[in-house]
Amino acid sequence: MRMVDIIEEKVEGKALSDEEIRFFIDGYTKGSIPDYQASAWAMAVLFQGMTPHEIATLTDAMEHSGETMDLSAIKGIKVDKHSTGGVGDKTSLALGPLVAACGAKLAKMSGRGLGHTGGTLDKMESVPGTNVFLTPEQFIDQVNRIGIAIVGQTAEVDPADKKLYALRDVTGTVQSIPLIASSIMSKKLACGSNTILLDVKFGNGAFMKTIDDARELAKTMVQIGDDLGRDTRAILTDMNEPLGFAVGNALEVQEAIATLHGQGPRDFTELVTQAGAIMLCQAKIATSVEAGRKKIQTAMQDGSGFQKMLELFAAQGGDISYLEHPEKFPKAAYITPILAPRSGYVKAIDSLEIGLSAMRLGAGRATMRDKIDMAAGIVLQKKIGNYVEQGKPLAYAYTNKTGVEEVLTQIQAAFTLDENKVKAGPVVHEMIAL
Ligand code: URA
């Protein structure tokens, strides 16, 4: 078999055979197929697409390009969730403890933040002492003991995706639904859970700019999961404003704590409740989404979700006095109000700009080598639909840096104000399941 023939077939719009797809992934992972052929292939896929069968084969080949986690030693149904990446997206920190408090088993591998999006591992590390690197044995033992563990990758998972995603990033071939879907699903499947809930975000702060594109991506991923024998469902959620009020590591942990005490922002609480309810259905703990919502709400009201968060951090070495007394988190040296230039209703908030501004204040990384400042970030005071008077704060910027005046102006410019009343939309738009 020759790679050049496989590329030419895809250029002509033909469907590739299973053998051809496996030949490519195997050869590219091992290094016998060079980057220039892989990028030509990715460009052909970007323009010609792939059939559902090709996408399932590609995902399966990538999933098995490295180690896969065997979670069979964990008793019961293992649930997992994945967000396609948002601004202020602290969902796992509240959702994980809530579903575990309701009896689900969450063995979750998470990532770090890059660019305008944050990562769960960084947020967890804002609690001093927290260790996100457990051995597979420790990881499995912790889930069996307390129902939840959240860690970085413990195995050499999906090396094909690591190479291919890095290549796509520099060859203009990221925005292909078959390639995004197989990239995300191959990693999730390799992590070994029985069920997967995908939080597919759309809007100005998300990969997918429109709900239609998000729906197509979600359907493609749900189909792959189903074809490969996992209960996979998706929700489409709005990223046309940041999720909740807080953006930045320690600031988001504090908002997750408030949410577990039933005092979270409306949109974030709704997302966590709906996602949790679906995961409880997948775990067969709830018989309907409505019943699942009641269980999640109870775990917020009776404190069992927060207790589970304490157990999670304590098991991973975190100093839980920070969770019990959030005023202990170090404060940024400079906390600056961003004032409304005129009175009006907030019509839009550019999440991408807020995410990038938080990164520039120190909360995120421009490259994987950058260090992050746990105390930095942005706390919104107004969300879409709120009224603000001229000269009153739209947000506060938290930073330990000086010379960030331009960033403060960018945060102000991220808000669009209108003299007419604006109605806030829902955060969760649709659920997609087969
Ligand atoms: N996230 C991924 O993991 N892969 C993609 O291709 C895009 C987003």
Side-chain angles (χ1 to χ4, degrees):
M1 214 175 274
R2 294 190 321 152
M3 187 61 200
V4 63
D5 300 328
I6 297 175
I7 297 168
E8 280 172 9
E9 272 181 61
K10 194 36 84 185
V11 168
E12 287 164 19
K14 292 187 185 146
L16 302 177
S17 68
D18 291 0
E19 294 69 33
E20 287 170 322
I21 291 170
R22 291 186 192 282
F23 171 82
F24 163 59
I25 289 299
D26 186 51
Y28 187 53
T29 310
K30 288 186 180 142
S32 57
I33 293 172
D35 278 349
Y36 53 81
Q37 286 189 309
S39 53
W41 177 87
M43 190 61 83
V45 170
L46 181 84
F47 283 107
Q48 295 291 7
M50 289 183 120
T51 65
H53 182 79
E54 283 179 288
I55 300 173
T57 306
L58 176 63
T59 307
D60 188 57
M62 284 166 56
E63 177 195 344
H64 293 101
S65 66
E67 291 176 51
T68 54
M69 286 295 292
D70 177 4
L71 301 181
S72 56
I74 298 173
K75 295 176 226 68
I77 298 175
K78 277 75 70 178
V79 296
D80 198 358
K81 60 109 12 201
H82 177 79
S83 152
T84 57
V87 178
D89 189 357
K90 66 228 67 140
T91 307
S92 295
L93 293 176
L95 176 61
L98 285 167
V99 295
C102 294
K105 295 282 167 62
L106 182 79
K108 182 158 176 51
M109 292 196 190
S110 284
R112 298 203 177 270
L114 185 64
H116 69 284
T117 61
T120 303
L121 299 183
D122 299 322
K123 292 169 202 182
M124 289 184 72
E125 284 176 348
S126 71
V127 178
T130 305
N131 172 24
V132 295
F133 294 102
L134 306 183
T135 64
E137 294 70 30
Q138 290 169 326
F139 179 59
I140 286 170
D141 175 61
Q142 183 175 317
V143 181
N144 269 329
R145 271 189 299 111
I146 66 168
I148 181 169
I150 304 181
V151 296
Q153 273 178 15
T154 52
E156 186 46 36
V157 171
D158 206 343
D161 179 63
K162 278 198 192 82
K163 268 188 97 169
L164 197 53
Y165 193 20
L167 183 79
R168 286 167 53 215
D169 209 22
V170 292
T171 54
T173 50
V174 168
Q175 286 298 340
S176 150
I177 286 183
L179 296 182
I180 298 175
S182 54
S183 164
I184 293 175
M185 287 304 290
S186 58
K187 287 182 289 234
K188 280 284 115 183
L189 292 164
C191 290
S193 283
N194 306 107
T195 80
I196 301 166
L197 177 66
L198 300 158
D199 175 3
V200 182
K201 306 215 171 276
F202 65 90
N204 59 43
F207 247 101
M208 296 291 128
K209 300 299 170 207
T210 66
I211 192 166
D212 290 339
D213 284 348
R215 189 181 298 110
E216 193 185 335
L217 176 62
K219 283 188 172 163
T220 307
M221 293 195 287
V222 168
Q223 183 72 55
I224 296 172
D226 199 68
D227 283 350
L228 298 176
R230 313 283 173 96
D231 174 343
T232 308
R233 307 183 198 184
I235 46 176
L236 306 185
T237 66
D238 196 320
M239 201 19 78
N240 279 309
E241 65 178 336
L243 188 57
F245 293 101
V247 181
N249 298 284
L251 297 168
E252 291 188 42
V253 172
Q254 291 170 68
E255 189 159 85
I257 294 169
T259 305
L260 288 172
H261 288 313
Q263 291 153 7
R266 178 196 63 82
D267 58 345
F268 182 55
T269 303
E270 171 56 21
L271 171 56
V272 165
T273 307
Q274 186 69 6
I278 297 168
M279 287 171 79
L280 293 184
C281 291
Q282 291 179 295
K284 309 222 181 302
I285 289 169
T287 48
S288 67
V289 173
E290 225 15 75
R293 287 180 67 92
K294 290 212 173 75
K295 285 182 188 288
I296 296 288
Q297 281 156 353
T298 302
M300 275 186 213
Q301 281 151 13
D302 68 10
S304 56
F306 180 62
Q307 283 308 316
K308 194 55 78 178
M309 182 192 226
L310 295 180
E311 283 179 52
L312 165 68
F313 278 87
Q316 295 187 209
D319 180 348
I320 60 168
S321 69
Y322 283 75
L323 306 177
E324 290 165 322
H325 305 284
E327 64 281 2
K328 280 185 75 171
F329 281 102
K331 292 269 174 302
Y334 309 104
I335 302 175
T336 313
I338 311 292
L339 304 179
R342 62 192 178 87
S343 300
Y345 294 90
V346 178
K347 189 174 173 194
I349 306 176
D350 187 334
S351 313
L352 175 61
E353 203 46 65
I354 294 287
L356 291 173
S357 298
M359 180 193 83
R360 292 180 193 120
L361 294 173
R365 301 182 181 84
T367 75
M368 260 347 240
R369 283 183 299 280
D370 294 347
K371 256 183 81 69
I372 53 182
D373 176 353
M374 295 301 183
I378 298 170
V379 180
L380 307 181
Q381 300 300 299
K382 301 289 172 187
K383 301 263 292 179
I384 291 178
N386 291 161
Y387 182 77
V388 62
E389 271 177 39
Q390 181 176 9
K392 296 284 185 210
L394 290 164
Y396 284 93
Y398 288 62
T399 190
N400 288 306
K401 292 185 183 178
T402 52
V404 292
E405 292 69 23
E406 205 182 315
V407 182
L408 305 183
T409 310
Q410 283 159 345
I411 299 172
Q412 190 189 50
F415 285 81
T416 306
L417 301 175
D418 196 284
E419 64 208 19
N420 301 310
K421 270 196 170 166
V422 178
K423 200 168 168 322
V427 61
V428 182
H429 280 244
E430 290 172 31
M431 183 176 98
I432 292 175
L434 290 180

